[in-house]
Amino acid sequence: MRITVIGCGYVGLVTGTCLAEAGHQVVCTDNDAERVQTLKAGVVPIYEPHLDGLLTSNMRANRLSFTGDADSAVNSGDAIFICVGTPPKENGDADLSAIDNVARLIATEVHASKLVVEKSTVPAQTGQQLKRVLSVYRRDSAVEFRVASNPEFLREGSAVEDFLHPERIVLGVEDENSEKQLHEIYRPILEAKFHCPVHWSGCPSATPPKLVVTTINSAELIKHASNSFLAMKISYANMIADLCEKVGADIKEVVNAMGLDPRIGPQFLNAGLGFGGFCLPKDVQAFVRLAERSGVNFNMLKEAEQVNKRRIDLFMEKIRQALWVIKDKQVGILGLAFKANTDDIRFAPSLEVIRRLLAEGAQVRAYDQEAMDKTSAIFPQVQFCRGPHDVARDADALLLLTEWPEFRQLDWTRIYELMSRPLILDGRNLLDPATMMDIGFEYHSFGRPVEKPLPQLMPSASAMLDSSPSISQQT
Ligand code: UDX
């Protein structure tokens, strides 16, 4: 099928490239001329594993192309996927102006009937507005627009894998033709039969995804409800971590056992600095606003948002407790991206931590595998290092802010020797406290013991303790 993708950001690039990989003829367009030029040269302007290889191979096979000419692009596809940004406004609402612009462009420039698919994350009922704009601005009354919602569930860092091997494909449709057309577009993925050229680890290619056909309103709500639930899960784990610190329990032990219950599941229960990125924080805000406007009290979600904001305060308090005076201290940072396997720093907790450290007069040094260029544009006063050892050299404290698995494998004994004061504040609960403390570090994380566990009591000693009178018996 011929497909047009409008918007060449994360979602648009992954959607366009993967639909081309699935055998369709795809034209992508964007109003950022520089971005289009870069893409025409086969260069992917973002870091996303496997995307560059698939993009260039599909361009070479003439299935994927990029153009700045939006008018011709919208006319070339039988289906148009809208993948433009919906950033948060000051009040938390999703800014839908890009969707509105694209809708008016399609309505005025298109000369034949089309299926218009919302792929961008939008609040419920946007599809209804989209239909209205398309019909109000339509120039040619013979042209018919059908609208569908097809939300994406792509995680940055594994977006290509998520697109080609999803657990579910949600189609919000209002007529049989749209459903058929979308089914045809996704057929190779639904059948999980097409040859996938990227044999990355964990590829669950044998399991075909579930197809979920709903109304447009439901499809839109599914996306916001899913991301908000994930955010609540993280905030819940973070509150349990705080409680663990108070009662002397270990958050890892608690969530490991909780996650064994299939009704709960093990994922998204990692406590630490909380969630960042361009999706979860903005989707939670937009969902809260949608609930408010609809007269539904969703305080539960508002609290999840507040819990997340307080993670940074709590982390700063831990730094202050350990370091005492922050001014003039050499603070090393490992990890800047909002999570591992991405160069994305949008709404990354690291940014707020750095801002506060600099405001308190710390000397900040940092390292990240992928996100240093983007961060240096915001914080020119930070010294960016070639590797973790340079960050650790003469540092008074080392902060772990992103869960890059590579940080686990570092030579921590060497790092211990390099530091001026062997102090680690692990904002992602990435390292093992006992191992760190054995090396000699003062080690702090979230919801885990700060002291080494006591050695197991000898049976005779524990028997003695059991038989000794308790304080209440004595008094
Ligand atoms: C998210 C959704 O997962 C995806 O389905 C949707 O389409 C887009 O938004 P993404 O933004 O790529 O994907 O990030 P995600 O993997 O969800 O992580 C979000 C944040 O939560 C990160 O900052 C991560 O570090 C944090 N996180 C995640 C935790 O703090 N604890 C966890 O247990 C999991």
Side-chain angles (χ1 to χ4, degrees):
M1 284 188 63
R2 284 170 304 152
I3 291 170
T4 304
V5 173
I6 307 182
C8 294
Y10 269 101
V11 175
L13 279 181
V14 174
T15 301
T17 305
C18 292
L19 288 177
E21 180 64 22
H24 302 296
Q25 200 65 41
V26 182
V27 175
C28 301
T29 185
D30 197 290
N31 59 8
D32 180 340
E34 203 181 317
R35 178 167 277 245
V36 172
Q37 281 314 316
T38 311
L39 288 163
K40 273 184 169 175
V43 177
V44 180
I46 52 170
Y47 171 80
E48 187 60 46
H50 309 296
L51 188 58
D52 45 359
L54 282 193
L55 184 131
T56 43
S57 64
N58 279 287
M59 282 176 82
R60 261 189 250 117
N62 288 323
R63 282 193 299 263
L64 177 65
S65 63
F66 297 90
T67 175
D69 181 354
D71 298 354
S72 78
V74 289
N75 276 295
S76 72
D78 306 309
I80 303 173
F81 280 72
I82 302 181
C83 301
V84 294
T86 51
K89 293 202 279 193
E90 281 280 292
N91 66 0
D93 271 332
D95 180 350
L96 301 175
S97 54
I99 303 252
D100 179 49
N101 286 338
V102 167
R104 283 183 286 129
L105 170 91
I106 296 171
T108 51
E109 299 305 328
V110 159
H111 308 301
S113 297
K114 306 274 175 198
L115 170 65
V116 180
V117 187
E118 276 174 2
K119 194 82 177 154
S120 307
T121 300
V122 290
Q125 296 185 331
T126 303
Q128 309 306 329
Q129 296 292 351
L130 183 58
K131 266 198 289 187
R132 208 163 60 149
V133 173
L134 288 168
S135 113
V136 169
Y137 286 89
R138 184 173 54 165
R139 284 241 177 95
D140 184 345
S141 57
V143 169
E144 219 190 284
F145 292 113
R146 284 172 290 112
V147 170
S149 165
N150 170 223
E152 49 84 15
F153 302 98
L154 308 174
R155 292 162 301 172
E156 285 184 27
S158 57
V160 171
E161 186 172 339
D162 290 345
F163 197 100
L164 294 173
H165 302 112
E167 284 103 24
R168 70 233 200 255
I169 292 176
V170 175
L171 306 181
V173 288
E174 287 185 344
D175 64 286
E176 217 175 304
N177 280 346
S178 303
E179 184 183 335
K180 270 195 197 141
Q181 209 171 341
L182 279 164
H183 198 279
E184 193 50 31
I185 290 171
Y186 280 107
R187 194 169 47 80
I189 294 171
L190 282 165
E191 291 175 355
K193 275 187 188 150
F194 80 104
H195 175 68
C196 169
V198 191
H199 292 290
W200 48 84
S201 59
C203 160
S205 53
T207 328
K210 292 223 161 45
L211 179 70
V212 185
V213 181
T214 68
T215 62
I216 295 179
N217 283 344
S218 295
E220 291 166 337
L221 206 73
I222 286 167
K223 173 62 200 269
H224 266 150
S226 302
N227 271 6
S228 297
F229 186 78
L230 293 175
M232 286 202 305
K233 212 173 166 190
I234 297 170
S235 283
Y236 186 83
N238 279 328
M239 290 310 299
I240 303 286
D242 291 355
L243 204 50
C244 284
E245 285 179 17
K246 301 288 179 205
V247 304
D250 183 327
I251 184 69
K252 290 256 176 179
E253 291 177 352
V254 175
V255 295
N256 278 348
M258 281 171 65
L260 293 175
D261 182 335
R263 292 170 304 174
I264 298 175
Q267 293 185 41
F268 277 70
L269 288 173
N270 288 333
L273 270 171
F275 57 84
F278 199 58
C279 291
L280 257 48
K282 104 177 151 66
D283 289 357
V284 167
Q285 274 185 29
F287 209 38
V288 165
R289 290 285 299 153
L290 176 76
E292 270 170 8
R293 277 202 313 280
S294 314
V296 173
N297 182 341
F298 213 153
N299 277 349
M300 194 181 171
L301 193 52
K302 279 191 200 161
E303 189 48 33
E305 202 183 6
Q306 290 312 313
V307 167
N308 197 54
K309 286 195 177 132
R310 289 199 294 268
R311 300 318 285 168
I312 310 277
D313 301 337
L314 198 61
F315 193 60
M316 290 306 296
E317 199 41 48
K318 283 177 189 281
I319 299 174
R320 225 169 271 119
Q321 288 279 335
L323 212 47
W324 186 36
V325 175
I326 292 178
K327 190 167 185 305
D328 296 331
K329 294 280 160 61
Q330 295 282 345
V331 179
I333 289 180
L334 293 182
L336 299 163
F338 83 94
K339 66 171 193 178
N341 294 318
T342 178
D343 65 346
D344 198 344
I345 54 165
R346 291 174 296 175
F347 299 98
S350 66
L351 301 187
E352 188 53 28
V353 171
I354 294 176
R355 204 167 284 129
R356 294 195 197 185
L357 287 171
L358 291 174
E360 294 204 31
Q363 308 287 318
V364 180
R365 256 181 272 153
Y367 169 77
D368 185 286
Q369 281 82 331
E370 298 294 338
M372 290 202 284
D373 286 351
K374 287 187 174 162
T375 316
S376 64
I378 303 175
F379 296 115
Q381 53 290 54
V382 169
Q383 188 192 335
F384 294 91
C385 299
R386 274 174 310 168
H389 288 171
D390 290 344
V391 174
R393 189 163 289 114
D394 299 327
D396 297 296
L398 204 53
L399 317 184
L400 256 100
L401 305 186
T402 308
E403 59 274 35
W404 284 102
E406 290 88 332
F407 292 152
R408 274 205 194 98
Q409 319 304 332
L410 295 177
D411 181 349
W412 284 101
T413 307
R414 174 86 186 109
I415 289 182
Y416 173 84
E417 286 158 4
L418 286 170
M419 290 181 73
S420 179
R421 175 183 167 183
L423 167 64
I424 294 180
L425 290 118
D426 182 351
R428 294 295 180 180
N429 283 4
L430 196 69
L431 307 173
D432 176 48
T435 311
M436 290 298 118
M437 286 185 262
D438 275 347
I439 295 174
F441 283 108
E442 179 184 341
Y443 175 83
H444 301 273
S445 56
F446 284 96
R448 296 189 300 168
V450 276
E451 303 290 338
K452 268 198 243 176
L454 287 171
Q456 291 283 311
L457 287 174
M458 299 291 288
S460 55
S462 60
M464 273 172 62
L465 279 180
D466 283 349
S467 59
S468 61
S470 68
I471 292 176
S472 59
Q473 280 170 326
Q474 283 173 338
T475 50

